[in-house]
Amino acid sequence: MRNFFLSLEFTTVLFVILVLNASKHIVALCGAGLSAESGVPTFRGEGGFWRTFQATELATPKAFEKNPSRVWEFYHYRRELVLTKKPNRAHKALVDFEKKVLSANPKTQTFAVITQNVDGLSSNIKNLIEMHGSLFKTRCTKCGDRTENYDSPIALALKGTENSQFDINLPIEKLPSCSKCKGLLRPDVVWFGECLDNDILMKIDVELERCDLLLVIGTSGLVYPAAAYASIVSARGGKIAVFNIEKTYDADFEFIGSCGEILGNALMVNDGEDKHEVV
Ligand code: BJW
Ligand code: ZN
């Protein structure tokens, strides 16, 4: 159903009556736009630059091999930034929706969140898949050890580099190192050209297989494998609802606007205070 001639309010009513209440397994697929209102930059568009680099240029194994200091400076900057940020109204709407689904009696629906975000701002969701890893996990390039790490800074020498406009060029010995084997650590995130964890891919398959409503929230839909999920669900007869400030996917329901403003109403979880005027 095309909704370009419908008001947001009417779209919401149709969405709730026709799909939200009737769906059995609802999955939210989230991208950087979910955290935009928290002040975390997106990858593409205006916020997608760090120093003079496009963020996506640095999210590659090649960039890390060529200049591990620059890539660590980039991730250190993002860790420090995210540590100052809080979940926004859209994150909260997802948490509240999950609570609502879990506490319903009788239980008629299930819910899962698959996020491409590595910022941890959805950590209050119980059924959460962080498909691209986490800014707050490291992996040793030598022994493979994976560890949660919230140290600020993650290495002493990185302190203050977040304010620099230029490369600091730290030697490897000053970059984050493994407590077990002293090998160089890397952020435990999925870079371009790297395969996603097999267990994660299997979990995602299970969620998509049963999904009859996919909420696509704040993602440009350019990066695979996530970019294929809407068509997978759609091909199996599931409905797609997109929440984005601009047009991205062709979907059954398109909510154009900030997900912080729209999601709570669409999922019927806004309390009185949070209610906003819909156009
Ligand atoms: C709002 C908003 C508000 C703003 N409210 N909305 C098939 C075809 C072609 C290529 C490939 C393919 N399969 C695999 C590839 C290669 C590659 C790929 O997809 N390339 C494409 C660019 C074409 N994929 C991979 O390499 C993946 N690996 C893989 O598939 O392995 C097997 C394989 C390898 C090679 C070949 C074939 C198979 C791995 C992808 C890993 C992506 N990693 C990153 C970095 C993670 C770590 C980190 O954060 O540093 O993940 S890149 C970056 O993009 C990050 C994001 O999670 C991801 C998606 O970005 P996202 O979230 O959509 O952000 P934006 O900025 O693009 O969009 C934000 C949106 O929000 C916009 O639409 C705004 O309008 C909106 N918005 N404010 C609502 N308030
Ligand atoms: Zn190690």
Side-chain angles (χ1 to χ4, degrees), residues 70-270:
R70 179 188 292 155
V71 173
W72 261 122
E73 288 164 46
F74 171 56
Y75 279 90
H76 161 71
Y77 154 76
R78 289 174 61 201
R79 285 166 58 98
E80 296 298 318
L81 178 86
V82 167
L83 284 172
T84 68
K85 305 299 180 197
K86 290 198 181 87
N88 64 48
R89 292 178 291 178
H91 295 106
K92 286 182 188 143
L94 293 175
V95 171
D96 290 348
F97 185 69
E98 182 180 60
K99 280 188 188 145
K100 190 172 159 185
V101 163
L102 287 174
S103 63
N105 189 9
K107 281 195 181 56
T108 52
Q109 296 182 308
T110 47
F111 180 55
V113 175
I114 302 172
T115 186
Q116 298 168 82
N117 299 344
V118 295
D119 54 29
L121 292 176
S122 288
S123 61
N124 288 333
I125 297 282
K126 289 191 168 52
N127 192 10
L128 174 71
I129 301 176
E130 291 180 307
M131 63 182 289
H132 289 163
S134 165
L135 283 177
F136 301 101
K137 284 184 189 153
T138 58
R139 187 160 91 235
C140 178
T141 57
K142 203 167 155 195
C143 74
D145 183 61
R146 287 184 144 116
T147 313
E148 198 166 78
N149 183 315
Y150 284 89
D151 294 351
S152 166
I154 187 166
L156 207 57
L158 285 166
K159 191 171 182 176
T161 62
E162 67 272 22
N163 302 320
S164 171
Q165 286 308 308
F166 306 101
D167 279 353
I168 308 294
N169 289 319
L170 294 169
I172 298 259
E173 314 79 73
K174 301 239 163 151
L175 296 178
S177 64
C178 178
S179 58
K180 303 209 163 85
C181 77
K182 302 277 173 254
L184 174 66
L185 293 179
R186 58 164 280 180
D188 193 18
V189 296
V190 185
W191 284 328
F192 278 116
E194 295 186 318
C195 285
L196 279 77
D197 203 279
N198 238 347
D199 287 351
I200 299 248
L201 288 173
M202 277 178 350
K203 279 188 189 162
I204 292 174
D205 273 355
V206 170
E207 299 300 347
L208 296 184
E209 184 115 357
R210 299 161 49 219
C211 173
D212 50 4
L213 170 60
L214 184 70
L215 314 170
V216 183
I217 305 165
T219 175
S220 55
L222 296 172
V223 177
Y224 289 85
Y229 295 164
S231 39
I232 291 173
V233 169
S234 192
R236 287 184 182 137
K239 296 280 180 259
I240 312 298
V242 170
F243 299 80
N244 202 301
I245 49 170
E246 57 186 35
K247 186 166 170 54
T248 48
Y249 292 82
D250 276 337
D252 299 288
F253 290 87
E254 291 168 21
F255 294 87
I256 305 289
S258 171
C259 56
E261 280 184 32
I262 294 173
L263 202 58
N265 276 352
L267 297 181
M268 304 275 288
V269 289
N270 261 354

